[in-house]
Amino acid sequence: VQLQASGGGLVQTGGSLRLSCTASGFIFDDYAIGWFRQAPGKEREGVSCFVHSDGSTYYSDSVKGRFRISSDNAKHSVYLQTDSLKPEDTAVYYCAACRVMSMGGKTWMERQPSLGSWGQGTLVTVSS
């Protein structure tokens, strides 16, 4: 199982980047695939999840309206279009299998532990 993230870089505030995640070693559309990020000194957090079973998407409140996740089954790839980037978006971005959880009116995403582990991420740096 491999999930390889790429596409990071250095951009100015307000800029855009398109991150790519290429998957191999498993049946791609059997799993939800998403993006997580870890900023310096902070815990890793879920950013966005694409659920292949029904085409639904999840976004964290911090990126909603600015980021857009998409999937290309033919290329076994999931993309994250990041627009209107802010310095607080600076982090290493990872792709991984994900799941969307709901309880008590709250919704969040977690890594799906049954598929693979954290691969090498891609660094996004947003300068002010």
Side-chain angles (χ1 to χ4, degrees):
V1 173
Q2 271 199 320
L3 288 154
Q4 182 64 48
S6 62
L10 172 64
V11 295
Q12 293 184 331
T13 296
S16 299
L17 284 172
R18 188 186 191 222
L19 307 184
S20 298
C21 172
T22 302
S24 62
F26 63 99
I27 301 174
F28 180 71
D29 52 5
D30 273 0
Y31 291 88
I33 304 294
W35 291 91
F36 299 77
R37 68 185 182 186
Q38 187 166 21
K42 294 188 176 181
E43 291 187 358
R44 192 150 15 198
E45 62 172 345
V47 174
S48 183
C49 184
F50 190 100
V51 183
H52 286 106
S53 61
D54 61 8
S56 62
T57 56
Y58 165 87
Y59 297 94
S60 66
D61 287 343
S62 60
V63 307
K64 200 171 294 183
R66 300 187 298 121
F67 290 11
R68 187 173 64 86
I69 193 169
S70 61
S71 176
D72 186 334
N73 280 5
K75 295 183 178 180
H76 289 190
S77 294
V78 171
Y79 306 98
L80 188 68
Q81 178 66 40
T82 67
D83 297 324
S84 303
L85 283 163
K86 306 175 182 179
E88 51 264 43
D89 294 317
T90 294
V92 177
Y93 284 70
Y94 302 86
C95 62
C98 53
R99 58 188 182 187
V100 180
M101 312 293 289
S102 293
M103 184 181 292
K106 293 185 178 181
T107 304
W108 69 96
M109 64 178 281
E110 300 176 341
R111 186 175 76 86
Q112 171 59 263
S114 65
L115 185 70
S117 60
W118 297 111
Q120 189 172 7
T122 187
L123 176 63
V124 172
T125 304
V126 185
S127 64
S128 56

